[in-house]
Amino acid sequence: KGETKELTVWSAEEAKRFLDAIAEERLVGLWTLALHTGLRRGELAGLRWRDVDLDAGTLTVAQQRTTANYTVVITTPKAKSQRQLLLAPATVAALRGHLQRQRKERMALGPDWTDSGYVFVDEAGVEIHPQRFTKLFDEVLKRTGAPKIRLHDLRHTMASLALEAGVHPKVVQEQLGHSAIAVTLDTYSHVPQAVRRDSADKIATLFGE
């Protein structure tokens, strides 16, 4: 397969500054969810409200909306990619805020609102084209002055920071929907030397060193 491509990710501080900067953005719920969960673009685009249980704090990845020559294609994720995620309180709060904003937009438009059932829609309720997600992300980066990365790099950022924080690779694998833990370990082999050193020190303390 050749050499593993070096990933571009944000540091924890850069990610925090980005979330602070988008607090008043209309799609703050989208970017928060992407960064907190590492969902793929197609999974974000295909997410429906019926796939989200805010009371239970869960989200089910049941479908994805991708494109083929700009034509939207709705598919069922592969076995490992079909998963249920447990959402952090901050993620649930961001989605609740997004739902409240969406309800206000719906009330304002009345019968002109399109009830698509998708979580991320435009001001008229129409689902957002998957490729539009990328453009919207590039635009929010310019407005906030955040370091330039790709939308997909939010996924890499979440995984990298999780591993650096000591989250077990198996948990990260399941969160990302990777087919095998080897994929996760190969993809994120760049975890800093300091993290590996910390692990070595922890192992040594088990033997009283």
Side-chain angles (χ1 to χ4, degrees):
K1 294 183 180 180
E3 296 183 359
T4 301
K5 183 179 179 180
E6 184 175 351
L7 304 180
T8 301
V9 298
W10 282 337
S11 66
E13 183 57 34
E14 288 171 332
K16 184 180 183 301
R17 284 201 299 267
F18 173 72
L19 290 176
D20 289 341
I22 63 171
E24 301 304 319
E25 291 274 342
R26 177 180 178 271
L27 291 176
V28 57
L30 167 59
W31 312 128
T32 301
L33 182 66
L35 191 51
H36 283 190
T37 64
L39 288 177
R40 301 176 177 90
R41 186 181 75 172
E43 295 169 345
L44 293 165
L47 187 64
R48 299 159 298 187
W49 282 115
R50 72 184 190 187
D51 302 322
V52 182
D53 188 333
L54 294 177
D55 292 330
T58 61
L59 179 157
T60 301
V61 180
Q63 69 170 26
Q64 56 183 357
R65 291 173 63 241
T66 56
T67 59
N69 296 323
Y70 204 73
T71 299
V72 176
V73 179
I74 299 177
T75 60
T76 301
K78 295 180 180 179
K80 282 289 184 179
S81 291
Q82 295 182 50
R83 60 202 187 278
Q84 184 180 77
L85 306 182
L86 296 178
L87 303 177
T91 316
V92 173
L95 287 176
R96 286 192 187 280
H98 180 74
L99 179 58
Q100 292 174 359
R101 181 179 290 106
Q102 197 173 101
R103 284 172 173 168
K104 290 180 180 178
E105 292 175 344
R106 180 172 187 164
M107 290 180 63
L109 278 185
D112 292 328
W113 171 269
T114 299
D115 189 9
S116 66
Y118 285 95
V119 174
F120 302 114
V121 297
D122 65 17
E123 291 85 344
V126 178
E127 60 268 31
I128 299 173
H129 190 282
Q131 291 186 19
R132 179 65 178 156
F133 281 71
T134 299
K135 295 180 180 179
L136 290 170
F137 182 64
D138 290 341
E139 290 170 2
V140 78
L141 288 184
K142 291 179 181 179
R143 287 196 298 272
T144 61
K148 175 67 175 178
I149 61 174
R150 302 171 305 160
L151 174 56
H152 194 73
D153 291 330
L154 292 184
R155 176 176 169 84
H156 294 319
T157 295
M158 184 284 294
S160 298
L161 294 180
L163 291 169
E164 289 177 17
V167 176
H168 195 285
K170 183 64 177 178
V171 175
V172 177
Q173 175 211 339
E174 293 174 351
Q175 178 83 14
L176 295 176
H178 281 163
S179 58
I181 194 170
V183 176
T184 307
L185 294 175
D186 287 345
T187 304
Y188 301 102
S189 59
H190 67 286
V191 174
Q193 179 73 23
V195 177
R196 297 197 293 273
R197 171 57 60 190
D198 181 61
S199 297
D201 292 343
K202 288 179 179 178
I203 293 171
T205 61
L206 295 175
F207 305 101
E209 299 295 332

